[in-house]
């Protein structure tokens, strides 16, 4: 889990078939087309990247930067 100024930015977790990234629901909605184009399996608040897939590091960087910029004035851990 990664935070910036006390607010959640993104989390990562691993499972046997995939790695998951969790940028909160708003991040998933904002990048829905790019996540689908990358072939990732999206959920409501997280996406899954199979171990057999290439990781689109540029897309992950964009998602992270989006959350940092979007939550610059956020004073809570999660979006409200």
């Amino acid at each position: 889990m990664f935070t910036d100024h006390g607010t959640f930015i993104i989390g990562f977790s691993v499972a046997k078939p995939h790695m998951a990234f969790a940028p909160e629901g708003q991040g998933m909605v904002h990048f829905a087309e790019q996540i689908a184009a990358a072939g990732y399996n999206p959920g409501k608040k997280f996406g899954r990247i199979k171990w057999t897939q290439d990781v689109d590091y540029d897309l992950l960087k964009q998602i992270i930067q989006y959350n940092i910029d979007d939550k610059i004035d956020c004073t809570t851990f999660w979006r409200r």
Side-chain angles (χ1 to χ4, degrees):
M1 183 179 293
F2 294 89
T3 62
D4 182 50
H5 70 278
T7 189
F8 178 83
I9 299 300
I10 196 165
F12 294 95
S13 62
V14 297
K16 188 175 182 177
H18 64 262
M19 173 187 81
F21 61 97
E24 288 188 276
Q26 189 168 328
M28 291 298 294
V29 169
H30 187 81
F31 289 95
E33 289 182 20
Q34 294 94 321
I35 290 168
Y40 300 154
N41 180 3
K44 191 170 184 178
K45 295 184 180 183
F46 65 94
R48 299 169 200 89
I49 304 171
K50 292 180 183 177
W51 294 118
T52 56
Q53 292 178 290
D54 290 333
V55 176
D56 186 341
Y57 292 104
D58 186 53
L59 175 57
L60 291 177
K61 288 177 188 177
Q62 289 176 47
I63 292 170
I64 291 166
Q65 192 61 55
Y66 169 78
N67 272 347
I68 290 170
D69 295 343
D70 187 59
K71 296 179 81 175
I72 193 75
D73 295 322
C74 186
T75 58
T76 58
F77 190 73
W78 303 109
R79 282 185 176 91
R80 294 186 180 212

